[in-house]
Amino acid sequence: MKIRFSASIVLIIICVLLFLLQNGSELFFGYDLLFVLGAKINQFIFQGQFWRFLTPAFLHGSILHLAFNMYALYSIGPSLERKYGIPSFLLLFGFGAIFGNIFSFLFSSSVSLGSSTAIFGLIAAQGVYIYQNRLLLGSAATPLLRNVLTMVAINLVLGLSPGIDNWGHLGGLVGGFLYAWFAGPSYGISENMFGENVVIRENKKVFLISGGLLLLAAMFVFLRFQFT
C-alpha cells in the first residue's frame, strides 16, 4: 500500500521536535537556546539576522501554544496541500510566516514566535481559493467564504489579548493572500475538441511570483531600516 507524503505532518513533526529541543536546552543550558537564535527579536534583525523572519514559525513558547497551532495546521493544511501541491504549499506556508514576522518587525517591538503567522496565511489562501473558484463551487461558495471570514475575525479579536502578536497575524494574512491570489490554483471552463465543457486548471508562474513577493518583503524591511 502506497503511503501518501504529507508536508503538513512533516511541518508538525518539525515543530514538535524543535519544541522538545527548546525545553531540552533549558534543562542543559538554563535558557532556551533556539529561542535566542531564532525568535523574532528586532534588535538582532537590525544586526542583519534576517533568518528571524522565517524561523519563529517553527518555535513555540508553551505546550498550549504548540498544541493550538499544530491543531490548526492539521485542520487546514492537508486540504490546501492537495489543492496547491507540496512545493507550492510550502511556499505558501513560508510567505505567511515571512510577511507575518515582517509586519511584526515593522509595527511591534515585542519579541514573538509561533506558527500562527503561517497559519493565518493558510486561512487567507483558503478564502482566496473559494472566492476565485466560486463559479465552480456554486451555492457552496458563499457559506464557505463566510466561514473563513468569521474564523479570521474571531481570531483577530482573540489576538487583541495581551501577549499575542496580532501584527504577525495580520502580516500572515497579507502574505498568504498575496501568494494565493497570484500563485494559487484556480480553474476555468473551456471546450474540448468535441465541443464539451471541461474544467481546466490555469497555469501560474509560481517561482516568478515568489521572487516578486520576496522583493516586496525586502522593500518593507529596507524602508524600516531607512526610517529607524
Side-chain angles (χ1 to χ4, degrees), residues 26-41:
E26 288 186 338
L27 291 175
F28 284 103
F29 303 116
Y31 61 92
D32 185 340
L33 178 61
L34 295 184
F35 173 87
V36 172
L37 294 176
K40 193 233 81 178
I41 303 174

Side-chain angles (χ1 to χ4, degrees), residues 154-166 169:
I154 290 172
N155 280 281
L156 288 178
V157 170
L158 293 175
L160 296 174
S161 303
I164 297 179
D165 185 2
N166 230 12
H169 295 167

